[in-house]
Structure formats: structure tokens, C-alpha cells
């Protein structure tokens, strides 16, 4: 089959790496890709936010299957355009992508099906939002309604912070994403990421992982897109998984179908778990990054069969074959990330690193200049390893990290601390 993956991060490198191992994969194109992806697939340069351009590329190149990596093209309806052109596509249409693109939409769905999540209020003007904060007290969480690349969430531990976050959002600091604001009860507990394949009718749990959101060791510093991950997440016991499926995932999927917007793709269920009870923090409509990297490392070639079965509505026949293994990924980022950082520094030491079923360097923000790998983004490399235990995976991953020669980068030394 001819396969096209949309995206350019470590998530898409990991997807490409897994898909490529499947014998059904004849030709693999990633748009736009990055320097690491270019080592294992063809890269194509067109605007993946432009549904017409994606359809044109797919039809001109006889693409049999499109896998959409990030949320942004899903939120503007690229999957709908592909399906309308009879191209098989993994990922939800625009209506179902609201589960990530609008926090108010998700909260309303949760309320309709009684799924456990934080209490909330939804506001279109600052005064009402501030009254709500004054009435509820702190800690409280202020969120821009729309897509804000992970930056539209302010955890306020005092009233002044909450009130100024409300002003910032309504004054346009987060652009259109902040035109509406959701204010939530602050939930305590342990966070986990749970991934469920959904074909519009059936659901299939794919795996669990834990991310590390803060920039620095000890969960200090600013929030980021994620500085490292491991899989499985011990907090996701069979009992917690069963509760999550019964109380949150299945009711949400049934409600989406009932409203005429069945969800097809990977549902990323962000959870807060306390005393064995999961509550929903958020849904995303795509794989997590870097959670995808550890899931792909563990699942390998079968990923393609699972995504294809999902897109073709055959999930009831599919199953996930888990090995009793662990994977861990360390994100190497450019100094200054998540704020300003320099681009263009040269990364050395990558050639000598092992690349096999237990060791992979997934590239995120990289490019090629004069035959050398350079940093072109905030999160730059995802050093990923697999092992029989989490400790073994971690030792292998940091062994590789130590061999990378990149003075302009930084990383966390404590990925996996919670589980070890
Ligand atoms: P979100 O973009 O909704 O995932 O929020 C980003 C991060 O903020 C989450 O991963 C949590 O760590 C935190 N967060 C969001 N909502 C809440 C909440 N209601 N209570 C506690 N933490 C939250
Ligand atoms: N790592 C969290 C996310 O992808 O949203």
C-alpha cells in the first residue's frame, strides 16, 4: 500500500518507523517530515492544513491510506476532505475533532453522559467569569476554549492570578482560542495518558503512558508539550482502565454517534486518578507527543494493521498484542524552550547510536545542513528505548542521551521517577 503520514514531529517519526516495518507498506511518504523521517521515508512539502492540497497529493500519488498526526489539520476538516474524495484516512472529521478543539464542547458532552470530570463554568465575558472565580475560590483552573498549543491552561492558586488570566484571555492573548473561557475545579491526583482506538462504533484500548509536562527535574519550571514519557503507566491498573472505559470512553463515543458525529481515530484520554477513581482532564483527538514514541516502540509493525482496521471500521476484529515490556523516551530540547530558543545549532554523536527494536532516536525539530543534523525546533530529539523492565529501558535511553554531543540542548534527568 502507498501510505501518507501528515506531520513533522517525533510522533510522526515514530508512526513512520512502526508503519514501515509492516510488510503491507510499499511506499511511505511523510509531509512535511523532518531530517530523521527523511532517513526512513520520502518527505513531501505541501501545506497539510490545506485540505485541497492534501487530496491532490493523495490522488496524484495513488495514496491508499492517510494517517493524520497532529490535531490542527483534523480541526479544519482535512479528514473529511479525504473521505469525500474516497481516500481512506485515519483520524476524526472536523465535527468529532471538537473533542480537542473546544473544551466547552467536551465539558458539555461529559455533562450529558455523566462522565466524571472537574466541575466547570463556561463564559463568553470576563465579568461573569470573575464572579464565578470569586464564588468558587482557589485553586482553580482557567482555560482558553480553543486550540492553544498546550499554552491556554492557567492553574491559579490565588484569586489575583485567576482574575488576571481571565483578563489575558478575553483581551486576546491566546487569539481566537480565548474568545470563550472554561473555568474548572482543580483536580488533585496522578495524571496518566490513555489511548483508545475508536472506529465510530467499537472501541479498543491501545495502551497507557505517562508524560512529564514541566521543563525541569523534579517537575519544576514551566509547562511544556512534554519532556519525556514511559509506557505502561502503573497507575492505569486493570480496574482503572475498566472504569475509564465504562464511565468515560464508551458513553462519550456513544453520545458522539448519537449526535451524528461518530469519532474515528485515536482518542487520547487525559486522566487524573485519585484513590483508584479516574476523572477526565481532557480529550485529544490524536496521539500524544512524546507518548506516541513509547507506544510505537512497544507495538512495532502491528500498529499499521490496527490503524487500518480502525479506519475501515473493523475494530471488532482487531486486537492489540502486548509484550511484557516497557519503553521510555527522553526529550532533548533547545535551551530556552518552551520560551525563546535558537535554531541552527549542530547536533553531533548521533551516528554512533544503536538503532534497533530496543533503541531509537526519533527526530522532532531537526533539519539537515551541509550533511549535518541541526536543531530547528523547541523539542528536537526523542531518545527512546525498550527493555524488560522500566529500569532497563531508562538505562538504555540515558546511555544514548549521554552519547549525544549537543551543548545547546537540555533534557530532564529524571524521566520515569514516579514509576521507579
Ligand atoms: P489540558 O490542556 O486541558 O490538558 O491542560 C494541561 C494540563 O493542565 C493538564 O495536563 C494538567 O496537568 C493540568 N490541568 C488541566 N485541567 C486541570 C484540572 N481541572 N485540575 C488539575 N490540573 C489540570
Ligand atoms: N504530551 C501531551 C500531548 O501530546 O498533548
Amino acid at each position: 500500500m502507498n501510505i501518507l503520514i501528515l506531520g513533522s514531529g517525533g510522533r510522526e517519526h515514530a508512526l513512520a518507523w512502526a508503519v514501515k516495518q509492516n510488510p503491507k507498506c510499499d511506499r511511505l511518504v511523510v509531509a512535511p517530515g523532518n531530517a530523521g523521517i527523511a532517513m526512513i521515508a520520502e518527505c513531501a512539502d505541501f501545506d497539510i492544513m490545506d485540505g485541497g492540497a492534501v487530496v491532490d497529493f493523495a490522488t496524484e500519488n495513488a495514496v491508499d491510506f492517510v494517517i493524520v498526526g497532529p490535531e490542527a489539520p483534523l480541526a479544519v476538516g482535512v479528514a473529511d476532505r479525504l473521505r469525500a474524495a474516497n481516500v481512506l484516512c485515519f483520524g476524526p472529521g472536523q465535527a468529532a475533532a471538537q473533542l480537542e478543539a473546544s473544551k466547552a464542547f467536551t465539558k458539555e458532552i461529559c455533562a450529558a453522559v455523566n462522565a466524571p470530570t472537574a466541575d466547570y463554568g463556561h463564559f463568553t465575558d470576563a465579568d461573569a467569569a470573575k464572579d464565578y472565580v470569586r464564588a468558587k475560590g482557589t485553586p482553580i483552573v482557567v482555560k482558553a476554549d480553543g486550540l492553544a498549543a498546550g499554552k491556554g491552561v492557567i492553574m491559579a492558586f490565588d484569586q489575583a492570578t485567576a482574575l488576571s488570566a481571565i483578563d489575558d484571555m478575553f483581551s486576546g492573548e491566546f487569539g481566537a482560542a480565548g474568545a470563550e473561557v472554561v473555568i474548572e475545579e482543580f483536580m488533585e491526583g496522578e495524571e496518566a495518558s490513555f489511548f483508545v482506538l475508536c472506529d465510530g462504533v467499537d472501541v479498543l484500548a491501545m495502551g497507557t503512558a505517562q508524560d512529564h509536562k514541566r521543563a525541569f527535574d523534579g517537575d519544576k519550571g514551566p509547562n511544556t508539550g512534554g519532556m519525556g514519557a514511559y509506557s505502561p503507566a502503573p497507575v492505569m491498573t486493570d480496574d482503572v482502565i475498566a472504569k475509564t472505559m465504562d464511565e468515560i470512553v464508551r458513553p462519550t463515543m456513544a453520545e458522539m454517534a448519537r449526535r451524528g458525529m461518530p469519532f474515528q481515530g485515536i482518542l487520547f484520554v487525559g486522566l487524573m486518578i485519585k484513590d483508584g477513581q479516574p476523572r477526565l482532564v481532557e480529550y485529544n483527538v490524536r496521539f500524544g507527543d512524546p507518548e506516541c514514541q513509547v507506544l510505537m516502540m512497544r507495538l512495532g509493525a502491528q500498529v499499521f494493521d490496527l490503524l487500518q482496521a480502525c479506519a475501515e471500521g473493523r475494530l471488532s476484529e482487531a486486537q492489540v498484542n502486548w509484550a511484557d515490556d516497557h519503553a521510555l523516551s527522553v526529550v532533548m530540547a533547545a535551551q530556552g524552550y518552551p520560551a525563546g530558543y535558537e535554531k541552527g545549532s549542530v547536533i553531533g554523536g548521533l551516528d554512533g547510536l544503536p538503532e534497533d527494536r530496543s533503541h531509537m532516536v526519533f527526530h522532532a525539530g531537526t533539519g539537515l545542513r551541509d550533511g549535518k543534523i541541526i536543531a530547528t525546533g523547541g523539542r528536537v530529539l526523542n531518545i527512546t528505548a525498550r527493555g524488560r523492565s522500566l529500569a532497563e529501558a531508562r538505562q538504555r535511553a540515558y546511555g544514548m542521551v549521554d552519547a549525544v554531543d549537543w551543548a545547546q540542548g537540555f533534557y530532564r534527568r529524571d524521566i520515569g521517577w514516579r514509576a521507579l
Side-chain angles (χ1 to χ4, degrees), residues 9-12 211 225-226 286-293 379 382:
R11 168 179 51 209
E12 288 76 21
D211 189 12
R286 36 83 192 170
F287 283 105
D289 185 342
E291 291 97 323
C292 185
Q293 288 80 315
R379 293 189 293 171
N382 310 140

Side-chain angles (χ1 to χ4, degrees), residues 43 158 195:
C43 290
D158 58 78
F195 295 89

Side-chain angles (χ1 to χ4, degrees), residues 221-247:
N223 262 327
T224 70
M227 291 299 293
Y230 55 89
S231 172
V235 68
M236 293 300 292
T237 59
D238 290 346
D239 185 54
V240 172
I241 288 176
K243 279 195 175 115
T244 305
M245 293 297 278
D246 291 345
E247 298 173 13

Side-chain angles (χ1 to χ4, degrees), residues 15-288:
L15 283 166
W17 174 82
V19 163
K20 177 123 202 237
Q21 292 170 41
N22 193 295
K24 283 191 216 153
C25 177
D26 296 313
R27 180 176 175 211
L28 180 60
V29 184
V30 182
N34 61 38
I37 292 171
M39 294 177 203
I40 62 167
E42 293 170 50
C43 290
D45 198 13
F46 56 87
D47 182 4
I48 64 168
M49 293 295 286
D50 177 348
V54 179
V55 168
D56 286 348
F57 183 89
T59 43
E60 281 159 21
N61 289 275
V63 168
D64 300 298
F65 187 30
V66 179
I67 300 166
V68 184
E71 65 278 13
L74 296 168
V76 297
V78 167
D80 304 290
R81 292 290 296 270
L82 284 162
R83 283 193 274 270
N86 279 317
V87 181
L88 187 68
C89 175
F90 179 81
Q94 185 168 29
Q98 289 180 90
L99 284 177
E100 175 164 3
S102 168
K103 295 189 191 295
F105 174 87
T106 295
K107 296 302 282 188
E108 194 267 310
I109 292 267
C110 286
V113 301
N114 234 334
T117 184
D119 285 338
Y120 79 110
H122 171 214
F123 304 95
T124 50
D125 78 275
D127 288 339
K130 288 180 182 175
D131 286 345
Y132 184 83
V133 165
R134 290 190 193 99
K136 292 283 174 183
T138 53
I140 201 156
V141 186
V142 181
K143 299 186 175 185
D145 177 69
L147 294 179
K151 291 174 193 114
V153 174
I154 309 291
M155 241 106 54
F157 292 92
D158 58 78
Q159 203 182 83
T161 305
L163 300 181
S164 72
I166 291 168
D167 282 330
D168 289 347
M169 285 184 190
F170 282 113
S171 68
E173 179 151 325
F174 300 95
E180 298 184 25
V181 167
V182 166
I183 303 184
E184 281 184 17
E185 165 200 358
F186 177 83
M187 294 188 286
E188 280 174 24
E190 185 173 341
E191 262 189 279
S193 307
F194 181 46
F195 295 89
V196 185
L197 290 164
C198 310
D199 67 7
V201 178
D202 288 298
V203 294
L204 180 64
M206 197 180 192
T208 67
Q210 241 160 351
D211 189 12
H212 298 63
K213 297 245 177 225
R214 301 298 198 95
F216 309 128
D217 283 12
D219 285 339
K220 300 218 164 61
N223 262 327
T224 70
M227 291 299 293
Y230 55 89
S231 172
V235 68
M236 293 300 292
T237 59
D238 290 346
D239 185 54
V240 172
I241 288 176
K243 279 195 175 115
T244 305
M245 293 297 278
D246 291 345
E247 298 173 13
I248 302 175
V249 176
R250 284 196 188 91
T252 302
M253 292 297 100
E255 180 67 9
M256 293 296 285
R258 198 187 67 75
R259 294 187 185 198
M261 45 179 96
F263 180 93
Q264 183 265 88
I266 187 82
L267 188 68
F268 168 164
V269 187
L271 295 168
M272 191 71 80
I273 297 124
K274 190 167 179 237
D275 303 329
Q277 177 62 47
R279 294 170 81 194
L280 184 74
V281 176
E282 61 162 355
Y283 286 126
N284 295 305
V285 299
R286 36 83 192 170
F287 283 105

